[in-house]
Amino acid sequence: MKMFAPAFLAAAVLAAPATAAPRDTPEVQLQKALAGRVAGEPVRCISTTAITSTQIIDKKAIIYRVGSTLYLNEPQTGADQLNDFDALLNRWAGPQLCRTDSLQLLDRTSRIPRGFVVLGDFVPYKKAPAAAK
């Protein structure tokens, strides 16, 4: 029986999942997402039909991609509830998403509502112009 113990132990170690690498902090995630971009003047609304993707920064912000521009929204309330595994639900699916609009947070797996955020201004981030050589 002792001769099987090392083989069993080796199999158990190989079958164990690898330890996940530590996640970046929300500040680092935000820096990475906006790297190489320059902030513009905040706007109150963006067109919902032009949004091509959305990224949630845990407990911090939502980034909307519209063409080549990223719009950073740091919610007025509820940012502490943001989780990058959430889905966002806009109950008033109009042509624009605006400051003071409320978005419901849904658990992506169960679709159970778990909170909401009230949006702030949208800060556009465009790619920085190439440096003159």
Side-chain angles (χ1 to χ4, degrees), residues 25-27 29-30 33 55-63 72 79 82-84:
T25 65
E27 289 75 21
Q29 290 177 31
L30 195 54
Q55 177 184 358
I56 295 175
I57 305 294
D58 281 346
K59 302 187 182 327
K60 184 108 177 120
I62 306 166
I63 298 174
L72 174 66
L82 287 171
N83 179 318
D84 63 357

Coordinates of all heavy atoms in Angstrom, one line a residue, residues 25-27 29-30 33 55-63 72 79 82-84:
T25 N -5.8 45.8 -8.9 CA -6.7 46.7 -8.2 C -7.6 47.4 -9.2 O -7.2 47.6 -10.4 CB -6.0 47.7 -7.3 OG1 -5.3 48.6 -8.2 CG2 -5.0 47.0 -6.4
P26 N -8.7 48.0 -8.8 CA -9.6 48.8 -9.7 C -8.8 49.9 -10.3 O -9.0 50.2 -11.5 CB -10.7 49.2 -8.8 CG -10.8 48.2 -7.7 CD -9.4 47.7 -7.5
E27 N -7.9 50.6 -9.5 CA -7.2 51.7 -10.1 C -6.2 51.2 -11.2 O -6.1 51.9 -12.2 CB -6.4 52.4 -8.9 CG -7.2 53.1 -7.9 CD -8.0 52.2 -6.9 OE1 -7.6 51.1 -6.7 OE2 -9.0 52.7 -6.4
Q29 N -6.7 48.5 -13.1 CA -7.5 48.1 -14.2 C -7.9 49.3 -15.0 O -7.9 49.3 -16.2 CB -8.8 47.4 -13.7 CG -8.6 46.1 -13.1 CD -9.9 45.5 -12.5 OE1 -11.0 45.8 -13.0 NE2 -9.9 44.7 -11.5
L30 N -8.3 50.4 -14.3 CA -8.7 51.7 -15.0 C -7.5 52.3 -15.7 O -7.6 52.7 -16.9 CB -9.2 52.7 -13.9 CG -10.0 53.8 -14.4 CD1 -11.1 53.4 -15.3 CD2 -10.5 54.7 -13.2
A33 N -7.0 50.2 -18.9 CA -8.0 50.4 -19.9 C -7.9 51.7 -20.6 O -8.2 51.9 -21.8 CB -9.4 50.3 -19.2
Q55 N -17.3 47.8 -20.2 CA -16.4 47.1 -19.2 C -16.7 47.7 -17.9 O -16.8 48.9 -17.7 CB -15.0 47.4 -19.6 CG -14.0 46.8 -18.6 CD -12.5 47.2 -19.0 OE1 -12.3 47.8 -20.0 NE2 -11.6 46.8 -18.2
I56 N -16.9 46.8 -16.9 CA -17.1 47.3 -15.5 C -15.8 47.2 -14.8 O -15.1 46.1 -14.8 CB -18.2 46.4 -14.8 CG1 -19.5 46.6 -15.5 CG2 -18.2 46.7 -13.3 CD1 -20.6 45.7 -14.9
I57 N -15.4 48.2 -14.1 CA -14.2 48.3 -13.2 C -14.8 48.1 -11.8 O -15.5 49.0 -11.3 CB -13.4 49.6 -13.3 CG1 -13.0 49.9 -14.8 CG2 -12.2 49.5 -12.4 CD1 -12.1 48.9 -15.4
D58 N -14.4 47.0 -11.1 CA -15.0 46.7 -9.8 C -15.0 47.9 -8.9 O -14.0 48.6 -8.7 CB -14.1 45.6 -9.1 CG -14.4 44.2 -9.6 OD1 -15.4 44.0 -10.3 OD2 -13.6 43.3 -9.3
K59 N -16.2 48.1 -8.3 CA -16.3 49.1 -7.2 C -15.9 50.5 -7.6 O -15.6 51.3 -6.8 CB -15.6 48.7 -5.9 CG -16.1 47.4 -5.4 CD -15.6 47.0 -4.1 CE -16.0 45.7 -3.6 NZ -17.3 45.2 -3.9
K60 N -15.8 50.8 -9.0 CA -15.3 52.1 -9.4 C -16.0 52.7 -10.5 O -16.4 53.9 -10.4 CB -13.8 51.8 -9.8 CG -13.0 53.0 -10.2 CD -12.0 53.4 -9.1 CE -11.2 54.5 -9.5 NZ -11.4 55.6 -8.6
A61 N -16.1 52.1 -11.7 CA -16.6 52.8 -12.9 C -17.1 51.8 -13.9 O -16.9 50.6 -13.8 CB -15.5 53.6 -13.5
I62 N -17.7 52.4 -15.0 CA -18.1 51.7 -16.2 C -17.5 52.4 -17.4 O -17.5 53.6 -17.4 CB -19.7 51.7 -16.3 CG1 -20.4 51.2 -15.0 CG2 -20.1 50.9 -17.5 CD1 -21.8 51.5 -15.0
I63 N -16.9 51.6 -18.3 CA -16.4 52.2 -19.5 C -17.2 51.7 -20.7 O -17.4 50.5 -20.8 CB -14.9 51.7 -19.7 CG1 -14.0 52.2 -18.5 CG2 -14.3 52.2 -21.0 CD1 -12.6 51.8 -18.5
L72 N -15.7 57.1 -19.9 CA -15.6 56.7 -18.5 C -16.8 57.3 -17.7 O -17.0 58.5 -17.7 CB -14.3 57.1 -17.9 CG -14.1 56.9 -16.4 CD1 -14.1 55.4 -16.1 CD2 -12.9 57.6 -15.9
A79 N -21.5 52.9 -7.0 CA -20.2 52.4 -7.6 C -19.6 51.3 -6.7 O -19.1 50.4 -7.3 CB -19.2 53.5 -7.8
L82 N -20.5 47.8 -7.9 CA -20.1 47.3 -9.2 C -19.2 46.1 -9.1 O -18.3 46.1 -8.2 CB -19.4 48.4 -10.0 CG -20.3 49.5 -10.6 CD1 -19.4 50.6 -11.1 CD2 -21.2 49.0 -11.6
N83 N -19.4 45.1 -9.9 CA -18.7 43.9 -9.9 C -18.5 43.5 -11.4 O -19.5 43.5 -12.1 CB -19.4 42.8 -9.1 CG -18.7 41.5 -9.1 OD1 -18.2 41.0 -10.1 ND2 -18.8 40.9 -8.0
D84 N -17.3 43.2 -11.8 CA -17.1 42.9 -13.3 C -17.8 41.6 -13.7 O -17.8 41.3 -14.9 CB -15.6 42.9 -13.7 CG -14.8 41.8 -13.0 OD1 -15.3 41.1 -12.1 OD2 -13.6 41.8 -13.3

